Amino acid sequence: MNFLRKSLVSGMMLAGCLVPAAISAQDGPAQKNLKALDPKLMDTTADPCVNFYQYSCGGWAKQNPIPADESSYGRGTELEDQNRLVLKSILEKAAAGGPERSANEQKIGDYYATCIDTNAVKEAGLKPLQPMLDRIAALKSKDGLPELTAYLDSIGIGTFFGFTSDQDFKDATQEIGEFDQADLGLPEKGYYDRTDEKSVKLRDQYKEHVARTFELLDETHEQAAKDADTVLKIETELAKHSLTNVERRDPQALYHKMTLASFDSSTPNFAFTKYLRALDTPTVESLNVTEPKFFTGLNEVLASTDLDSLKTYLRWAAIRQTPSTALPQSLDDESFNFYGKILEGQPEQQPRWKRCVRATDRALGEALGQVYVAQRFSPQDKQRTLELTHDIEAAMDHDIDQLEWMSAATKTRAKDKLHSVANKIGYPDKWRDYSNLEVVRGDALGNARRAAAFEVHRQINKIGKPVDRGEWGMTPPTVNAYYNPQMNDINFPAGILQPPYFDPRQDDAVNYGDAGGVIGHELTHGFDDEGRQFDAEGNLKEWWTPEDGKKFTERADCVVKEYDGFVAVDDLHVNGKLTLGENIADLGGLKLAFLAYLDRAQKAGVDLTKKSDAEYGGLTPEQQFFVAYGQGWCQNNRPEDLRLRVQVDPHSPEEFRVNGVVVNLPQFQKAFNCKTGQPMAPAKRCAIW
């Protein structure tokens, strides 16, 4: 449950200061003076009561065309650019070597330097891939699939299914093993079965991409085309048995705890006990099978598919999930051509250094993040964010009291959950230990494989152990935030607690509108349509009265219908059910942030009717609050990217994360003196929290 959208596609992974060392023009963007509220980014010719997004962001949109190496560009991207420059400076210093480097600095420096070294990758060619491909080719019978897939999974290559550890949905104190549906080459189940013209064309383009990749692995044109047909056929069958993204939003649909013996006997064509033994997991007696229907279908696919076809599928899975920065340029370019250009509309590949910064953060995020935090996130920043968080939690406590539709019994349990939320701000209390991860300068693919194996082992080694509630799911430099319903915690990495989201130079009205909106968003996730199903301890448990649950659903349906009506691009509407949790979080989060600001302003004696000077655009404090929120979402999107997002992303496009929220807040109507009936001030509103 992230604040910002994550990477949306599956495929060969694209690897990817306060002021860093000087950056030359060809190296990347110059530093910007980012502000949480900047009047120069507004379009004051627009009427805020007609289109508040345009009013807040019209100037920004004109000033910031999408760079050729991006599929979209927004305020979050601007901050990511700034953070990348910080990380680049850190990594270049670490890569320069020297006896004073710590063990972690050696690892991050050598990992980055090796990723940047295209000459070494070119010289190695396909040789580093050959042992993996040879092992697949050597498979003699289907009986050997458990050991082979365990080997591939152990180095980060997903095959016919996913396996990891997770908190037991109904005992949040314990980690158990979990089997999940396969991660396929196209983004989501619907891409395999939709019959409209664009979907059919995209499948054809995907098949051509698979075929070209096999040709680059030295197959003949004819054999590559045949193998691409095989891959698409198997993936289509697996997709047929998978759940959609909307179906996967229901945690009840993803919890089916069973013994290993029972699960193994249900799939006679694949020995999961043998697979776990080969993967060298801790003892597994019971586990969660997220989707039994998928594994029934997988059992049928394995029975009906010949061995050579299964080996073809495994070769594709292996190459598709190999980091493209560790592959020859031709394969790197081919991966980008489909997943970047065709799927997301991105004209150009990102510079190598950007991708290598991202790859290092992915592999050694807490080692890199520890240095980043020292430069970019002070104890004062952490304390101010914590105070803001406490204010918003207090606002929710008060808001629960005011809910007319909720019974006293459910209110009591809601407050129990609210008061149990753990606040994680900036970085972990205990840093991850990377001493068992070997990084070898000059071995790009080996480093990527060892980093993936390190993470796989770290995850599966949790099985059977108590949950570590201090663990983080994002690295400190990440420009994002999240709520974890099983941990019942809200998490704000240092990377997002920078301008333009958190700006210590600007007034409370601005920071409550922007950073406060982020905090309120994550807090409300604990009470959205998914989060509300988990109790204060993180267990999947019904704590609502039946009548209150019904009233919640009725209010949530209002939000679904509202967002279903928004047109994202061409003929595609926003999917109100897919985006429901994020929309509820946006709506509830901004309301809570506003209530918290009003309380803060009252204590500080702020005159809410007084207009500001030019620095704040002549806006009243309440108007500053809303414009700061709106400007946090300024973004330009390519149409291809929007089409992809509407079909797979649980977050609505940015325009609707602004306009779709303020239309439901009478506080906004009052702040801008909008007349009832204007587009941003409808007579009927959706309201939950």
Side-chain angles (χ1 to χ4, degrees), residues 549-598:
K550 180 181 178 182
K551 289 177 179 177
F552 177 94
T553 300
E554 290 172 353
R555 282 159 175 75
D557 286 344
C558 175
V559 179
V560 170
K561 291 173 183 175
E562 176 190 338
Y563 282 81
D564 276 345
F566 295 140
V567 178
V569 59
D570 301 331
D571 57 339
L572 282 182
H573 285 239
V574 175
N575 185 332
K577 289 185 177 179
L578 176 61
T579 59
L580 178 59
E582 299 298 333
N583 298 334
I584 290 174
D586 283 343
L587 175 56
L590 190 61
K591 177 185 176 183
L592 294 178
F594 187 78
L595 294 175
Y597 172 65
L598 290 184

Side-chain angles (χ1 to χ4, degrees), residues 103 106-108 110-111 114 363-364 433-441 443-455:
Q106 174 268 317
K107 287 179 167 63
I108 63 175
D110 288 355
Y111 198 99
T114 300
L364 291 146
D433 179 6
Y434 292 98
S435 57
N436 291 329
L437 172 56
E438 182 186 20
V439 176
V440 179
R441 199 165 184 124
D443 184 11
L445 184 58
N447 287 341
R449 288 276 179 262
R450 286 186 290 274
F454 173 86
E455 180 60 18

Side-chain angles (χ1 to χ4, degrees), residues 9-67:
V9 297
S10 301
M12 282 190 275
M13 294 185 295
L14 303 179
C17 268
L18 184 165
V19 179
I23 303 296
S24 62
Q26 66 267 27
D27 278 339
Q31 287 281 342
K32 293 182 177 181
N33 181 23
L34 301 178
K35 296 180 180 179
L37 190 156
D38 188 343
K40 294 192 295 294
L41 306 182
M42 299 171 64
D43 175 7
T44 55
T45 67
D47 186 340
C49 300
V50 174
N51 187 337
F52 184 63
Y53 182 72
Q54 177 64 27
Y55 175 78
S56 299
C57 292
W60 186 94
K62 288 182 179 180
Q63 298 164 30
N64 291 276
I66 305 173

Side-chain angles (χ1 to χ4, degrees), residues 361-645:
D361 182 50
R362 182 182 294 124
L364 291 146
E366 290 194 15
L368 178 57
Q370 193 168 1
V371 187
Y372 170 85
V373 165
Q375 293 191 19
R376 289 287 287 179
F377 196 66
S378 70
Q380 292 77 17
D381 291 337
K382 185 167 185 172
Q383 183 58 35
R384 189 171 177 186
T385 306
L386 186 60
E387 290 172 359
L388 209 165
T389 303
H390 287 161
D391 284 352
I392 292 171
E393 289 171 337
M396 176 167 251
D397 186 286
H398 180 70
D399 185 54
I400 290 172
D401 286 334
Q402 307 304 310
L403 294 176
E404 296 180 357
W405 59 271
M406 183 179 283
S407 69
T410 303
K411 285 181 179 180
T412 297
R413 296 188 184 100
K415 285 196 173 190
D416 287 343
K417 180 170 185 177
L418 170 64
H419 298 156
S420 299
V421 171
N423 301 320
K424 295 180 180 177
I425 296 172
Y427 49 89
D429 292 331
K430 180 181 179 182
W431 295 100
R432 191 163 297 167
D433 179 6
Y434 292 98
S435 57
N436 291 329
L437 172 56
E438 182 186 20
V439 176
V440 179
R441 199 165 184 124
D443 184 11
L445 184 58
N447 287 341
R449 288 276 179 262
R450 286 186 290 274
F454 173 86
E455 180 60 18
V456 169
H457 178 75
R458 192 181 73 83
Q459 292 292 343
I460 65 174
N461 198 44
K462 298 176 188 177
I463 295 171
K465 295 181 179 179
V467 168
D468 176 7
R469 291 189 173 270
E471 184 179 2
W472 279 62
M474 287 180 177
T475 68
T478 301
V479 181
N480 213 328
Y482 70 98
Y483 170 77
N484 185 335
Q486 293 167 271
M487 292 278 201
N488 193 26
D489 60 15
I490 50 178
N491 305 260
F492 308 104
I496 199 173
L497 296 173
Q498 314 287 330
Y501 294 106
F502 174 69
D503 194 342
R505 303 164 300 177
Q506 296 199 295
D507 290 346
D508 282 340
V510 173
N511 279 304
Y512 277 75
D514 210 334
V518 176
I519 295 167
H521 173 100
E522 299 308 339
L523 189 62
T524 305
H525 266 313
F527 304 88
D528 70 13
D529 61 309
E530 289 182 88
R532 79 176 190 88
Q533 298 185 56
F534 293 84
D535 67 12
E537 285 73 44
N539 294 306
L540 185 61
K541 183 178 180 181
E542 182 56 77
W543 53 270
W544 296 62
T545 68
E547 183 62 26
D548 288 342
K550 180 181 178 182
K551 289 177 179 177
F552 177 94
T553 300
E554 290 172 353
R555 282 159 175 75
D557 286 344
C558 175
V559 179
V560 170
K561 291 173 183 175
E562 176 190 338
Y563 282 81
D564 276 345
F566 295 140
V567 178
V569 59
D570 301 331
D571 57 339
L572 282 182
H573 285 239
V574 175
N575 185 332
K577 289 185 177 179
L578 176 61
T579 59
L580 178 59
E582 299 298 333
N583 298 334
I584 290 174
D586 283 343
L587 175 56
L590 190 61
K591 177 185 176 183
L592 294 178
F594 187 78
L595 294 175
Y597 172 65
L598 290 184
D599 184 61
R600 173 65 61 178
Q602 183 181 31
K603 291 175 181 176
V606 174
D607 182 356
L608 297 177
T609 65
K610 183 179 179 180
K611 293 188 177 182
S612 65
D613 57 21
E615 180 184 359
Y616 293 99
L619 301 169
T620 68
E622 290 181 345
Q623 291 171 338
Q624 291 173 43
F625 172 94
F626 286 108
V627 172
Y629 172 77
Q631 289 194 345
W633 293 115
C634 298
Q635 182 151 312
N636 286 318
N637 300 287
R638 299 190 192 278
E640 297 91 342
D641 184 60
L642 278 175
R643 292 191 70 86
L644 173 66
R645 291 177 58 187

